[in-house]
Amino acid sequence: MSTAATVTNDVVRIVEVGPRDGLQNEKALVGTADKIALIEKLAATGLGTVEATAFVSPKWVPQMADAAEVYAGVAQREGVRYPVLVPNLQGYERARSVGVTEIAIFGAASEAFSKANINASIAESLERFAPVLEAAKRDGVAVRGYVSTVLGCPYQGEVPVAEVVRVAKALHAMGCYEISLGDTIGVGTPRKARAMLEAVAGEVPMAALAVHFHDTYGQAVANVAACLEAGVSVVDAAVSGTGGCPYAKGASGNVATEDIVYLLDGLGLAHGVDLDALIATGRWLSSVLGRDSMSKVNRAKP
Ligand code: HMG
Ligand code: MG
């Protein structure tokens, strides 16, 4: 496998986003105890990062209204990170009041999506993030940054790669230790995904980049494979292929974590996750949500 000069991606870090991205789009409220159980089951599979919840406005995303109860209820495992989404200082303060030590801020490369998702232009969003990053720095809180709509926008269609590079670079310069590049509506294909990643890697070190694919058009695993070949070593995924954004209508779930683990095994890349335990967790979640798993691997395994 070819890698960028300064990157070795023989070991891949999976960022599990199921409890947040996976559940945020669920119409029926999932019980707080089930959310806590999901996070604890995922952490027990060997996943080193489990994005737990989102301290966003409950008016915008009712499913995440119990963020504080969920976070506080998790019996945290040593060595596992539990980042949470934070859109503004109010979210930051709510998160800190229950002891959060890692957050993720989320911006977009498309003006229209930024407005729809967080009610701010891109410039306004960066202004809004600045005091959050300042507070996080003061408190020793790690900050990850998302850039959404990196391969297309539900409102404006094409998104120039230069905009993705600009926003990713800005978030990194502001202090985000890692930038996750999100194909929010799952329209990307491998060559485009790789070209977008490489363009960003021209300005932000590859080692500080992650990829985040939704699977609307069935391209997510292929996109991840192409980006691994380009040298990325952090991949976001959601157990059972759950997920979607309430402000990106028609977008389907994230790439399934089970499918990523199977891919990494096939490529001979280390990840530290117990696939059987992950599959069992995916099946348990399917029973909670009352529907079949979206993970091909989960459905195929006896
Ligand atoms: P706004 O309406 O402009 O905010 O929303 P506001 O400051 O005017 O406040 C409005 C009300 O919300 C007020 O309450 C605030 O107190 C409250 P009221 O006075 O009316 O009773 N409020 C809050 N409450 C709790 N926690 C907070 C908070 N902030 C305000 N943090 C805002 C702006 C950013 C808050 C809103 O747009 C929002 O919460 N958006 C989040 C949308 C969201 O969560 N989307 C999904 C996550 S992003 C995603 O899925 C993409 C990703 O996966 C990557 C990819 O796939 O590309 C990350
Ligand atoms: Mg997402």
Side-chain angles (χ1 to χ4, degrees):
M1 170 159 303
S2 65
T3 54
T6 54
V7 177
T8 50
N9 66 354
D10 294 345
V11 179
V12 171
R13 186 164 73 88
I14 299 174
V15 174
E16 168 63 48
V17 297
R20 192 278 303 171
D21 204 337
L23 297 185
Q24 70 187 9
N25 209 26
E26 287 295 319
K27 296 276 170 297
L29 286 186
V30 178
T32 304
D34 282 335
K35 291 174 180 167
I36 293 168
L38 174 63
I39 295 164
E40 292 180 350
K41 284 174 189 290
L42 288 166
T45 69
L47 285 156
T49 309
V50 182
E51 194 174 70
T53 183
F55 288 82
V56 294
S57 168
K59 287 186 181 140
W60 284 65
V61 187
Q63 186 66 259
M64 294 288 124
D66 58 355
E69 292 77 9
V70 169
Y71 190 88
V74 172
Q76 296 198 9
R77 291 174 91 88
E78 211 171 320
V80 178
R81 291 148 64 174
Y82 301 89
V84 303
L85 249 58
V86 159
N88 53 17
L89 216 38
Q90 190 176 342
Y92 180 78
E93 277 151 17
R94 284 177 63 212
R96 285 295 288 162
S97 74
V98 286
V100 164
T101 55
E102 176 165 346
I103 63 167
I105 55 176
F106 49 107
S110 120
E111 288 289 355
F113 184 76
S114 183
K115 195 76 193 153
N117 194 43
I118 54 173
N119 201 20
S121 68
I122 294 173
E124 285 165 348
S125 76
L126 296 177
E127 273 169 37
R128 190 185 281 171
F129 297 149
V132 176
L133 277 149
E134 232 168 78
K137 194 172 178 193
R138 178 196 66 211
D139 299 339
V141 167
V143 186
R144 192 173 198 244
Y146 280 102
V147 182
S148 284
T149 59
V150 297
L151 291 166
C153 169
Y155 308 103
Q156 73 181 49
E158 289 284 319
V159 175
V161 173
E163 276 299 277
V164 181
V165 174
R166 182 177 75 84
V167 178
K169 195 177 164 187
L171 291 178
H172 189 247
M174 286 168 83
C176 294
Y177 74 88
E178 184 171 281
I179 308 298
S180 176
L181 301 166
D183 182 9
T184 319
I185 54 171
V187 290
T189 44
R191 280 190 190 162
K192 277 191 186 163
R194 183 177 178 145
M196 179 278 300
L197 172 69
E198 286 173 340
V200 179
E203 297 288 343
V204 178
M206 186 68 93
L209 296 178
V211 290
H212 178 111
F213 287 106
H214 286 260
D215 198 34
T216 317
Y217 287 84
Q219 305 294 302
V221 169
N223 290 338
V224 170
C227 291
L228 289 169
E229 278 188 8
V232 84
S233 59
V234 185
V235 177
D236 297 359
V239 66
S240 224
T242 46
C245 174
Y247 298 97
K249 213 165 171 277
S252 73
N254 291 267
V255 69
T257 316
E258 298 93 315
D259 299 2
I260 292 302
V261 168
Y262 186 88
L263 171 74
L264 296 175
D265 283 342
L267 293 172
L269 301 177
H271 50 74
V273 181
D274 176 341
L275 181 56
D276 289 336
L278 189 61
I279 286 173
T281 301
R283 288 180 184 166
W284 172 83
L285 180 60
S286 292
S287 74
V288 169
L289 299 178
R291 78 173 102 85
D292 288 344
S293 174
M294 300 287 282
S295 161
K296 291 267 190 188
V297 168
N298 208 326
R299 291 203 302 242
K301 281 266 185 181

